[in-house]
Amino acid sequence: DETLPATGSYEVFLSAGALTSTLGAENLEFRQTFIVDSEAPRVATTFPASGAKVSTGVGELVFEFSEPIELLTSPEEAVELVGQLSGEIEFESVSLDGTGTQLTVHNAQLSDDTVSFRLVPDAFVDAAGNALVGDSVFSFVADSLSRPASLEPLKPLGSIAYESKERGTLGPTDRSD
């Protein structure tokens, strides 16, 4: 009596003539490989990392999974981007790489905002049909001035007065506090 581990690849082999039917016919050789997978996929890493502060020009948002996944919907329906101030955020496309472990959101139209990006949990499964588990919502801050501002000294040189040539808004211009 042998107990098999919960996850792994197994082969069943039956040699020719090992069994005989009630009519006396012997079986043909039989070989079958099967996989037992009880581990569900989860998000391993994201870019930007949850809680990070990034430039609005970041361009791509990336999810990496613990194992290859399959999409049960179109890629665009599997991802939601929402800004705390701006609401739903548009993006150009979503792609899954050839290994099935990296999902990339291309050309997200980010503005100064706190952004939540969410994977729709029932849109993802692994090869065994296990659904995505764990956190599926990640947030980051998009800021058009997240890079250090360039400062130029004002005259008289040697003073502690500086000026920045950077221009921008602290938030969407169509909103007020």
Side-chain angles (χ1 to χ4, degrees):
D1 184 21
E2 185 178 332
T3 303
L4 298 176
T7 298
S9 178
Y10 303 94
E11 182 177 87
V12 174
F13 175 73
L14 190 58
S15 59
L19 299 175
T20 305
S21 74
T22 55
L23 300 175
E26 293 184 349
N27 68 287
L28 299 175
E29 181 177 291
F30 174 81
R31 183 180 307 262
Q32 180 69 46
T33 301
F34 66 96
I35 297 172
V36 175
D37 179 1
S38 61
E39 284 195 37
R42 61 182 63 248
V43 175
T45 63
T46 63
F47 175 81
S50 197
K53 184 176 180 181
V54 299
S55 169
T56 54
V58 71
E60 293 184 341
L61 310 175
V62 180
F63 295 91
E64 289 194 17
F65 299 95
S66 59
E67 63 179 291
I69 54 108
E70 298 173 7
L71 289 168
L72 300 178
T73 66
S74 73
E76 288 75 18
E77 293 174 325
V79 176
E80 297 172 352
L81 288 174
V82 179
Q84 188 174 22
L85 299 173
S86 56
E88 187 175 333
I89 297 172
E90 294 185 16
F91 48 87
E92 187 175 292
S93 64
V94 178
S95 63
L96 184 62
D97 76 343
T99 67
T101 60
Q102 184 172 304
L103 185 82
T104 304
V105 177
H106 302 278
N107 297 323
Q109 305 300 310
L110 301 177
S111 59
D112 290 344
D113 208 342
T114 297
V115 178
S116 292
F117 56 127
R118 175 181 179 263
L119 295 175
V120 178
D122 57 353
F124 301 90
V125 296
D126 65 9
N130 298 314
L132 185 68
V133 296
D135 288 337
S136 61
V137 179
F138 306 89
S139 296
F140 64 92
V141 175
D143 185 355
S144 60
L145 295 177
S146 63
R147 67 188 188 291
S150 58
L151 299 174
E152 300 293 327
L154 293 175
K155 293 185 179 180
L157 295 179
S159 72
I160 59 170
Y162 290 85
E163 176 181 50
S164 172
K165 303 294 183 199
E166 301 287 338
R167 299 290 179 250
T169 60
L170 295 176
T173 57
D174 62 336
R175 305 207 179 210
S176 63
D177 291 332

